Amino acid sequence: MFKRKIYEKLLSWKKESAGQTALLIEGARRVGKSTVVEAFGRNEYDSYILIDFATAPRAVRDLFEDMSDLNYFFLQLQLQFRVDLTERKSLIIFDEVQLCPKARQAIKPLVKDHRYDYIETGSLISIRRNVKDILIPSEERRISMYPMDYEEFLWAVGDNTTYSLIRKCYEAGESLGDQTNRKLMRDFRLYMLVGGMPQAVSEYLDSNNFKRVDAVKRDILNLYEEDFGKIDPTGRLALLFDSIPAQLNNNASRYQVSKVLDQTRAEDILELIAQMRDSRTVLVSYHANNPGAGMSAAKDLAKFKLFLCDTGLFTTLMFKDRDFTENIIYEKLLSDKLPANLGYLYENVIAQMLAAEGNELFYYTFLNETSKHNYEIDFLIARQNKICPIEVKSSGYKTHASLDAFYKKFSLQILRRYLLYTKDSRKDQDIQCLPVYMAGFL
């Protein structure tokens, strides 16, 4: 198992909760939820039972229909899984709990009983059919799990020092030097290609073969589209998902739904977008109608951009319908010769890094009334009751017109301005210009 940061959160929950809550881990399929939770059960408890509701037999599912006799329930679980449970020293895991809503509802009496600890994992947790006719337990504590971030990726490839050194330079406001930055950018571009899905990382380490890594990612994308088909048999969700790279390539101010689904407006599919967001396969960045610390209250639900949860999957989705040999991204990105019109790869990885740090994603577009020029701030994050606008460049830069125009419009609400690009750290007036691999520190 790869070292994952979420393990520390599991340890904190176990210590702080002391059995008073169950932990629900939400995340896209194949991000490693089951693996890390099972390792946690193996390492931190005397015994554990993992119930995978994707494969659980009818006899196990039926146990959750009647929770009136918990002694009988626990006896049957131990018989079914041939595991001895020890009071306050055992863990019961409900894996893919969305597939058995009654098991999720059972958390309330199980936590109240207090004999054992409980962890649930799942995706599509909030989809209407998965919560229909059940009482959502207030005893759940929720956390999100994302694909491996850049630091976790470095750990996986055997590098335990680079990221902490980058952090020290960021905190000290020091530059790294052009030569060092070029080396770090090469390493980061490798992360962008392989991505953070544990299976893809494992294949890269085993084979050092991008074609085989790409095949793993295609399998994951196919799995996601099968899930979309179950949620929405009309195929609209899959179409919206497949069109994300093309929509970003258009450089439009929003995802243009009508160009993907004929005679359909964004306002018509808000529930579909919410379902994509709940699947955790997609990151949704909403337009902030009123940029400020309370952006969540003023976001435009019908004006949004979509990104993939993992940039490695994004590089594969761009060429999913063609043979791997036609995927120029691997060659161009590794050699730092990415065409300007593919710069949205960097936008996707920044979205991924910001989301993994717990930031809700927002962007902002506006028209300069004097020049009649449209400006766009790629990302906005809230800090200390103010906002930090972020502009992303796929190479160097000569100007930062959007940041400048935004500053003139909202100067009193701005804490700091950032420009993320591929060059070394520097300051340009009050703008912090940072290499993209520092995005996780903002």
Side-chain angles (χ1 to χ4, degrees), residues 18-243:
Q20 298 301 315
T21 62
L23 188 66
L24 172 61
I25 303 176
E26 293 184 83
R29 294 182 68 183
R30 301 294 173 88
V31 296
K33 301 185 298 296
S34 306
T35 302
V36 73
V37 170
E38 187 165 13
F40 183 70
R42 187 184 308 114
N43 297 338
E44 310 299 335
Y45 292 85
D46 288 357
S47 63
Y48 72 94
I49 289 175
L50 187 148
I51 307 173
D52 182 355
F53 287 109
T55 58
R58 173 57 59 185
V60 171
R61 289 170 171 271
D62 287 346
L63 291 175
F64 294 92
E65 295 295 328
D66 183 0
M67 301 297 296
S68 61
D69 187 347
L70 292 183
N71 289 330
Y72 174 80
F73 174 80
F74 292 129
L75 177 63
Q76 289 299 315
L77 273 189
Q78 292 173 91
L79 288 172
Q80 288 281 346
F81 290 91
R82 300 179 184 178
V83 172
D84 289 329
L85 296 173
T86 305
E87 190 165 333
R88 301 302 322 132
K89 293 182 178 180
S90 293
L91 172 70
I92 300 177
I93 303 165
F94 295 166
D95 196 22
E96 301 292 353
V97 72
Q98 77 279 359
L99 299 176
C100 186
K102 286 294 182 69
R104 189 177 178 197
Q105 180 172 268
I107 286 296
K108 188 174 186 69
L110 291 174
V111 168
K112 184 178 180 181
D113 175 75
H114 201 245
R115 261 177 268 193
Y116 312 113
D117 285 354
Y118 302 91
I119 295 180
E120 307 162 87
T121 76
S123 55
L124 306 167
I125 290 294
S126 302
I127 299 297
R128 185 179 300 173
R129 71 180 185 193
N130 292 334
V131 295
K132 185 181 179 181
D133 301 327
I134 70 165
L135 180 67
I136 303 300
S138 58
E139 292 77 9
E140 279 181 350
R141 180 182 297 178
R142 291 191 183 194
I143 60 173
S144 296
M145 186 171 182
Y146 296 92
M148 297 166 70
D149 67 18
Y150 184 44
E151 185 174 18
E152 291 171 324
F153 178 80
L154 290 175
W155 290 340
V157 299
D159 183 346
N160 296 303
T161 57
T162 294
Y163 201 75
S164 59
L165 292 174
I166 295 172
R167 184 187 295 274
K168 287 178 182 177
C169 287
Y170 168 79
E171 292 174 347
E174 298 175 350
S175 61
L176 294 149
D178 289 339
Q179 186 175 348
T180 300
N181 178 66
R182 280 194 293 270
K183 192 270 180 188
L184 293 173
M185 279 304 308
R186 282 197 300 271
D187 295 342
F188 185 73
R189 290 194 297 268
L190 176 65
Y191 169 64
M192 291 174 67
L193 289 173
V194 176
M197 304 304 282
Q199 284 177 298
V201 176
S202 181
E203 183 59 52
Y204 168 73
L205 293 174
D206 290 344
S207 68
N208 196 34
N209 184 314
F210 280 134
K211 185 172 184 178
R212 293 177 64 172
V213 173
D214 197 71
V216 169
K217 292 189 289 178
R218 286 171 187 252
D219 289 343
I220 295 172
L221 290 171
N222 289 335
L223 180 69
Y224 289 171
E225 295 197 357
E226 288 174 11
D227 286 344
F228 290 146
K230 295 172 185 174
I231 300 169
D232 175 46
T234 68
R236 291 177 300 169
L237 272 180
L239 274 174
L240 291 167
F241 181 79
D242 281 348
S243 300

Side-chain angles (χ1 to χ4, degrees), residues 399-410:
T399 61
H400 32 72
S402 292
L403 282 176
D404 294 339
F406 187 81
Y407 181 77
K408 290 179 181 178
K409 193 174 177 68
F410 297 105

Side-chain angles (χ1 to χ4, degrees), residues 351-366:
Q352 178 183 344
M353 295 172 80
L354 292 176
E357 294 299 320
N359 296 288
E360 193 172 354
L361 301 181
F362 297 98
Y363 73 102
Y364 185 70
T365 59
F366 58 105

